[in-house]
């Protein structure tokens, strides 16, 4: 194991969120599996389908590959109210427990985990600082998608644009004097097993023309 983790392995990208990297080394097919961190180690190194070792960090000698063009194309769309509406409707139908499958349902590439186990779509869509998936912790009884969070590089969608698409929004109580101002939209679709709530975060008490710096789509039960 030490020989492999200290070797300068040039990994290739598979496009699979659970098994994102593979390489051929000394006639063996090596694969890196991403685990359910922090309940499990961050990575597992596999050889020809058999588990070799768990890893809590990415070895410094290993070289990550660039993101394939077909994955870059998936995140080329800017975040609009129409796109958020599509995502919200699909979130109401999401029952899968796997983050890569959730991303595929939203038309996104499989997310990758950072060193803290957080799931981010890389690269980010135009005009965003990050797009993050939150998955429920199976260790405490939750399963599947919890929410999708989009942080904009500059405040983007206005309250009036969101209200025109999702209906009148509700002002939520602030939890602290310097907390953001948050509005909420409850979203339902016919025959869907779940509902969705869209939360928009603003720096100031939002009027119709004020723009949100963050949007979150939370999956709810009826």
């Amino acid at each position: 194991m030490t020989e492999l983790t200290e070797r300068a392995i040039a990994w290739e990208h598979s496009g699979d969120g659970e098994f994102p990297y593979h390489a051929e080394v000394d006639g063996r097919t090596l694969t890196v599996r991403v685990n359910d961190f922090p309940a499990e180690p961050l990575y597992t190194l596999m050889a020809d389908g058999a588990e070799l070792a768990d890893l809590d960090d990415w070895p410094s000698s290993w070289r990550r590959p660039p993101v394939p063009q077909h994955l870059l194309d998936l995140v080329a769309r800017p975040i609009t109210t129409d796109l958020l509406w599509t995502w919200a409707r699909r979130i109401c139908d999401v029952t899968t427990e796997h983050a890569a499958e959730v991303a595929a349902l939203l038309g996104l590439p499989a997310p990758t985990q950072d060193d803290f186990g957080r799931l981010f779509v890389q690269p980010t869509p135009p005009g965003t600082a990050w797009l993050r998936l939150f998955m429920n912790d199976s260790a405490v009884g939750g399963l599947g998608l919890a929410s999708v969070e989009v942080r904009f590089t500059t405040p983007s969608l206005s309250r009036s644009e969101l209200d025109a698409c999702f209906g009148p929004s509700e002002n939520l109580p602030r939890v602290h004097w310097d907390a953001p101002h948050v509005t909420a939209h409850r979203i339902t679709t016919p025959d869907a097993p779940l509902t969705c709530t869209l939360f928009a975060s603003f720096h100031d008490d939002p009027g119709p023309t004020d723009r949100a710096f963050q949007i979150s789509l939370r999956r709810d039960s009826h």
Side-chain angles (χ1 to χ4, degrees):
M1 258 310 301
T2 301
E3 188 271 334
L4 287 175
T5 56
E6 293 180 351
R7 191 166 179 173
I9 299 175
W11 294 90
E12 295 182 6
H13 207 299
S14 68
D16 186 310
E18 186 177 5
F19 303 93
Y21 307 112
H22 62 89
E24 296 292 329
V25 176
D26 298 333
R28 293 182 296 175
T29 299
L30 300 183
T31 306
V32 173
R33 185 182 70 205
V34 177
N35 298 315
D36 184 16
F37 185 87
E40 300 173 344
L42 188 54
Y43 304 110
T44 295
L45 177 63
M46 307 176 70
D48 297 326
E51 296 182 5
L52 287 183
D54 293 325
L55 304 171
D56 290 320
D57 296 293
W58 183 267
S60 58
S61 60
W62 288 3
R63 289 175 286 172
R64 295 181 194 262
V67 179
Q69 185 60 48
H70 73 279
L71 296 183
L72 295 176
D73 293 340
L74 288 175
V75 291
R77 298 172 297 172
I79 305 297
T80 63
T81 53
D82 287 343
L83 181 59
L84 291 173
W85 176 248
T86 298
W87 286 355
R89 295 183 65 183
R90 292 180 181 176
I91 285 172
C92 291
D93 284 318
V94 166
T95 56
T96 179
E97 301 171 17
H98 199 288
E101 294 174 352
V102 171
L105 289 173
L106 300 179
L108 295 168
T112 56
Q113 285 186 337
D114 66 8
D115 291 340
F116 299 99
R118 299 174 297 184
L119 293 167
F120 291 96
V121 170
Q122 297 289 348
T124 61
T128 64
W130 71 68
L131 193 161
R132 183 178 175 187
L133 300 186
F134 291 83
M135 304 299 290
N136 288 310
D137 187 353
S138 59
V140 294
L143 292 174
L145 176 71
S147 63
V148 177
E149 180 180 284
V150 179
R151 175 69 66 92
F152 297 99
T153 51
T154 57
S156 181
L157 300 172
S158 70
R159 182 172 189 172
S160 61
E161 290 172 326
L162 293 168
D163 286 352
C165 182
F166 299 101
S169 54
E170 173 189 357
N171 289 322
L172 299 184
R174 299 174 74 200
V175 297
H176 194 265
W177 69 268
D178 64 348
H181 295 260
V182 180
T183 62
H185 299 266
R186 182 81 166 181
I187 301 163
T188 61
T189 60
D191 301 322
L194 303 166
T195 62
C196 178
T197 303
L198 184 149
F199 299 98
S201 299
F202 300 84
H203 292 302
D204 300 303
D205 189 8
T209 61
D210 289 298
R211 298 182 179 276
F213 68 86
Q214 181 172 296
I215 297 290
S216 297
L217 292 167
R218 187 185 69 191
R219 191 185 73 157
D220 301 316
S221 58
H222 280 296

